[in-house]
Structure formats: C-alpha cells, structure tokens
Amino acid sequence: MNIILLSGGSGKRLWPLSNDIRSKQFIKIFKESDGSYESMAQRMYRSIKKIDAEAKVTVATSKAQVSTIHNQLGEDVGVSVEPCRRDTFPAIALATAYLHDVLHVGEDEAVVVCPVDPYVDDDYFAALKKLAELAEKGDANLTLLGMEPTYPSEKYGYIIPESKDPVSRVSRFKEKPDEETAKKYIAEGALWNGGIFAYKLGYVLKRAHELIDFKDYDDLYEHYGDYTKISFDYAVVEKEPSIQVLRFDGLWKDLGTWNTLTEAMSEKIVGKGEMSDSCDNVHIVNDLDVPVLAIGVKDVVISASPEGILVSDKTESSYIKPFVDKMKQPVMFAEKSWGTYLVLDVEKESMTIKVTLHAGNAMNYHSHDHRDEVWTVISGIGRTVVDGMIQYVKTGDVVTMQAGCRHTIIADSELQLIEVQIGKEISVHDKHKYKLEI
C-alpha cells in the first residue's frame, strides 16, 4: 500500500501537553503491554506496518513537525513537507507529486489518504487495505470510507450512497451541513465522511494539474505559498461524479479534545499523580517530575507540562483555544530527530535548557551573535567542536562558548547536558548554521 498520513494541528486543543511542534498526535499517552507509552502517530504507523509490512508510508506535514516525526517513527518513513499551511487539497497534491516524482510510484498504483490521529482498532486498518484494493480495481475515480453516523453532527461531511451494500456508488456528497439538514441526510442513509479515501495516483495528479499551474514536485514545492487554501473535499470530492463508498462500522473516534481523549485512556493517571476515592470521572496527565494530587473533584481533567497547568471541567475543555491564544508562550518542550529539549528556566538575560542527544546524533554546527553559552554535561560521553577544535567530554565537564564562535556537540552515547544561554538578546532567530568538516 501507498499511504499518505495527514499530520496537521496547531497543538492548542490539548494544551498544555501539545504545542505547535508537539501536536496531539505526538503525545505519548497510550500504555502498551510492556509498560511504555506510545503516541497516536506511533500507534497508527505500527498498525499499518502490522497489516502490510511493505506499506510505503508518507507523512504530509509542516516543517515544524519533521524532527518529531523522525524521532517517533524513525528515518524510514517518508515526509512530504508543506512550506506553509494551504489546507488539504494542496497538501495532498504535494504529497502525491512527492510519491510520483521523488519515490517513483506509478500512476496506476493506489494511494490511500487518512488522518494520522484517529483512535481506531484493527478493523480500521483492514478497511484501509480494502480501500487500496478497490481503488486499484478502478471502478470509480475516488473510493471513500464512510462511517456509520451516531448523531447529526455539524463537523463532518455526509456521503449519501445509492444503496446499503458494503460497497456502493455515491449519489451525493455534502460538506458539513447544519444540524437539521444532517438529520435529513441520516434519514436518507447517509454516512459520515472521515477524510479517508483512496485513488489511483494518476487521477489526483491529473486533477492537481487542472487546478494548479505547476510542472513537477519541485515546482509545486517552490510556488506552494502562491496557491489558494482549499480543502480536498471542496476542490475535488464535491465535483467528482465517479465516487464509491466502503461502509465502516468499527471503532473510529476523533480524539481532538481532552474530553474525548480521556474517554480512550486505559488508566486514570499518567505520570506522577494521586487522587482520592471521592474523585469521580477525573483524569490526571502529568508530564512533570512533580506530583499532582486531586481530592474530591468530579468530571475534571488535570494536565501539567513544561508549557503550563490545566484544570478544567471535561466538557468545558473543548473551549480552550482562545485562552491558549492569549498566552502566546514560547515552546518549552519539543522532540527532535536528534533527541529532546526542555526549557527549565527563563530570566530577563538568561535561559536554561536541558538537552538530550541520542547516540550518534549532534547539534547543528552554529554560532550566535548576541549570546554566550555554557554547557555542563550531566550524563554520557561525546565530542565538542568549538571553532574547529575537537575536545572529548564526559559527565561533569563544562564547556564555555563566547558569542560569535562556532560550536556543536556530538553524542557518542546517550548524552544529556544543561545549556545556559546568557545575553541581553536571546532569540531563536539569533543563529547561523555552518557545514561541519572534521
């Protein structure tokens, strides 16, 4: 199978565990049999590989998420990077061009597109495989996965099939109606559109060329910011006469809020936490190394991370975004392909960060104009390069870099250090990168 996983999200609805870099799909909250935790993205990728070990998986995402994707899914996963946000049609067009021009996938091969973050079970992945088979057969230009609706939702599009067969032609497709109209569609036997569909690669490539002026993947990427923001549903699905739908009545949930996420959790406490027996329908999700205690509260989610602390009624938690927008806080924790960083302290003229580098990885070779830096190695071994001079470092060693000097550190084992930035102007934009030659 060729699968495109759409990975977007602003990281606001599940604050403080999520941010612009670590969106909800990367939060490690689902407990495995060995006691470890995995994220929605890891769960999705693992399950795809379980049903098809040879599946070619490409994640369509923003530049900010690339390091986290490689950190969690490894280096073998394909990544189609959006230079800027342009909604699902340009994103799918770009990823399809990436498959064709970079990975050399043929125009007659089937491609399945789905979100990276639904909460599903094995039946869902069997349905993805069936979608690919139907698309490859070619009876329709688009094959959708239709979910059996449970209520007249206004946040989903509606697929109205011609029959009640497991696979049916589609008579109409309607985007996100109001509640009364949704009730009428459901009475007609409509299915929810979950944004999961399949096609032959050449079909979407042709539609992309009809709607966007570009030559190939490189040209599309270069001019991506010039294209109109539009969803795939509006640009393609609503205008396509040749569509079929595969019915699906298995587990499928959008865990987009704290309320829905906690419903899917197998335990009430993740991280350090305690609650009294008088608590009812309470979840604690703690990303900090300090305990959280809940006594006598009901229908509440408590979440703590380096970004902040949330205490919210579960139903009210869906209204979190405007409050997060007001705070405008910098990212305090992020996973990267090389490891992680955690901001420990921010003062007027200093910032203290804990950095973890995986073995064999290194920081960029870089310099700063307006700040000095001090590294203290707290575990592991590695090598620093400061203005071309190599020095071996171990636990307890301290390295000082003045503003303007070029520097990096290479981890020969798992390596942790405390980085203290000192200066009157501390900014993520104060950084120059260089090619390292040693």
Side-chain angles (χ1 to χ4, degrees):
M1 286 193 295
N2 299 294
I3 294 188
I4 295 172
L5 297 177
L6 300 178
S7 179
S10 63
K12 294 174 183 176
R13 290 192 294 169
L14 290 176
W15 184 92
L17 246 61
S18 62
N19 54 44
D20 285 338
I21 295 174
R22 185 173 68 160
S23 295
K24 66 176 181 178
Q25 56 266 34
F26 304 119
I27 300 172
K28 294 181 180 179
I29 207 166
F30 300 108
K31 195 171 187 178
E32 294 300 288
S33 56
D34 63 359
S36 64
Y37 290 86
E38 69 176 356
S39 67
M40 300 178 202
Q42 289 173 314
R43 195 170 184 265
M44 176 68 69
Y45 187 70
R46 173 179 57 77
S47 298
I48 290 170
K49 288 294 188 177
K50 180 181 175 183
I51 203 165
D52 183 357
E54 301 302 314
K56 191 175 292 182
V57 181
T58 298
V59 184
T61 189
S62 64
K63 185 177 180 179
Q65 293 183 2
V66 172
S67 285
T68 307
I69 288 166
H70 286 310
N71 182 293
Q72 292 199 358
L73 307 185
E75 296 296 328
D76 291 337
V77 66
V79 179
S80 171
V81 182
E82 289 182 87
C84 57
R85 302 279 187 182
R86 279 296 176 268
D87 215 331
T88 52
F89 172 64
I92 291 166
L94 185 68
T96 302
Y98 173 85
L99 288 178
H100 183 259
D101 297 337
V102 179
L103 300 185
H104 308 296
V105 175
E107 292 190 17
D108 285 333
E109 290 192 45
V111 178
V112 178
V113 176
C114 58
V116 74
D117 55 2
Y119 185 73
V120 293
D121 58 18
D122 289 345
D123 289 345
Y124 175 85
F125 299 99
L128 294 187
K129 195 168 186 179
K130 179 67 174 177
L131 270 187
E133 292 168 358
L134 289 168
E136 203 154 273
K137 190 177 177 183
D139 290 341
N141 286 332
L142 277 174
T143 303
L144 311 180
L145 191 65
M147 315 301 185
E148 294 288 350
T150 55
Y151 66 98
S153 172
E154 298 180 17
K155 71 175 185 176
Y156 298 117
Y158 284 78
I159 303 161
I160 303 172
E162 292 182 355
S163 74
K164 293 186 177 181
D165 296 333
V167 179
S168 168
R169 300 289 294 188
V170 173
S171 64
R172 284 177 293 156
F173 176 88
K174 296 296 182 181
E175 252 303 273
K176 298 177 182 175
D178 59 40
E179 185 176 339
E180 287 304 311
T181 307
K183 287 179 182 178
K184 294 176 184 176
Y185 290 156
I186 291 174
E188 293 181 48
L191 304 168
W192 278 341
N193 170 39
I196 303 130
F197 49 88
Y199 52 85
K200 284 189 177 182
L201 183 145
Y203 165 74
V204 164
L205 203 59
K206 180 182 177 183
R207 295 292 288 124
H209 280 294
E210 289 171 354
L211 297 171
I212 301 173
D213 182 20
F214 73 102
K215 298 176 183 176
D216 54 18
Y217 168 76
D218 290 332
D219 186 39
L220 181 57
Y221 182 90
E222 184 179 349
H223 297 97
Y224 194 79
D226 299 333
Y227 303 128
T228 303
K229 290 183 179 181
I230 187 170
S231 73
F232 189 85
D233 293 334
Y234 282 122
V236 178
V237 183
E238 284 197 338
K239 298 176 176 63
E240 176 54 56
S242 177
I243 304 178
Q244 62 186 354
V245 62
L246 171 65
R247 289 179 176 271
F248 181 74
D249 61 1
L251 176 66
W252 177 79
K253 290 183 179 180
D254 175 16
L255 307 184
T257 66
W258 277 113
N259 195 18
T260 55
L261 182 65
T262 52
E263 286 177 358
M265 288 171 57
S266 61
E267 52 192 350
K268 292 185 178 298
I269 300 174
V270 176
K272 286 187 175 182
E274 294 287 343
M275 67 175 70
S276 68
D277 292 339
S278 56
C279 288
D280 180 30
N281 189 27
V282 174
H283 282 80
I284 296 173
V285 184
N286 185 7
D287 216 18
L288 299 177
D289 195 29
V290 294
V292 170
L293 174 62
I295 299 176
V297 290
K298 303 183 189 320
D299 304 322
V300 165
V301 59
I302 302 169
S303 180
S305 86
E307 305 290 324
I309 296 171
L310 170 72
V311 180
S312 173
D313 172 86
K314 286 188 175 181
T315 303
E316 291 291 315
S317 68
S318 61
Y319 302 107
I320 192 174
K321 287 180 75 172
F323 296 98
V324 177
D325 287 336
K326 288 179 184 177
M327 290 186 281
K328 296 181 180 178
Q329 184 169 327
V331 173
M332 304 294 280
F333 174 83
E335 291 183 83
K336 297 289 188 178
S337 56
W338 45 260
T340 63
Y341 73 82
L342 169 65
V343 177
L344 301 176
D345 183 66
V346 180
E347 300 290 344
K348 186 177 181 180
E349 295 185 5
S350 71
M351 181 180 291
T352 304
I353 304 168
K354 182 179 180 181
V355 178
T356 300
L357 284 165
H358 299 318
N361 285 272
M363 293 183 184
N364 291 313
Y365 193 41
H366 65 283
S367 69
H368 310 285
D369 293 331
H370 304 292
R371 69 174 186 255
D372 302 335
E373 289 185 349
V374 180
W375 290 338
T376 302
V377 180
I378 56 175
S379 68
I381 57 173
R383 289 161 286 156
T384 59
V385 183
V386 180
D387 282 338
M389 186 177 73
I390 302 172
Q391 178 180 341
Y392 286 87
V393 292
K394 62 184 184 307
T395 303
D397 286 345
V398 178
V399 183
T400 301
M401 286 78 59
Q402 300 295 320
C405 78
R406 303 180 183 191
H407 54 282
T408 186
I409 186 165
I410 303 161
D412 293 323
S413 71
E414 182 90 353
L415 188 147
Q416 291 188 327
L417 61 87
I418 300 297
E419 175 179 293
V420 181
Q421 302 175 2
I422 303 169
K424 292 185 177 181
E425 184 181 332
I426 297 175
S427 167
V428 293
H429 304 295
D430 178 19
K431 188 173 186 178
H432 306 285
K433 297 179 183 180
Y434 309 96
K435 183 177 180 181
L436 178 62
E437 295 180 356
I438 56 172

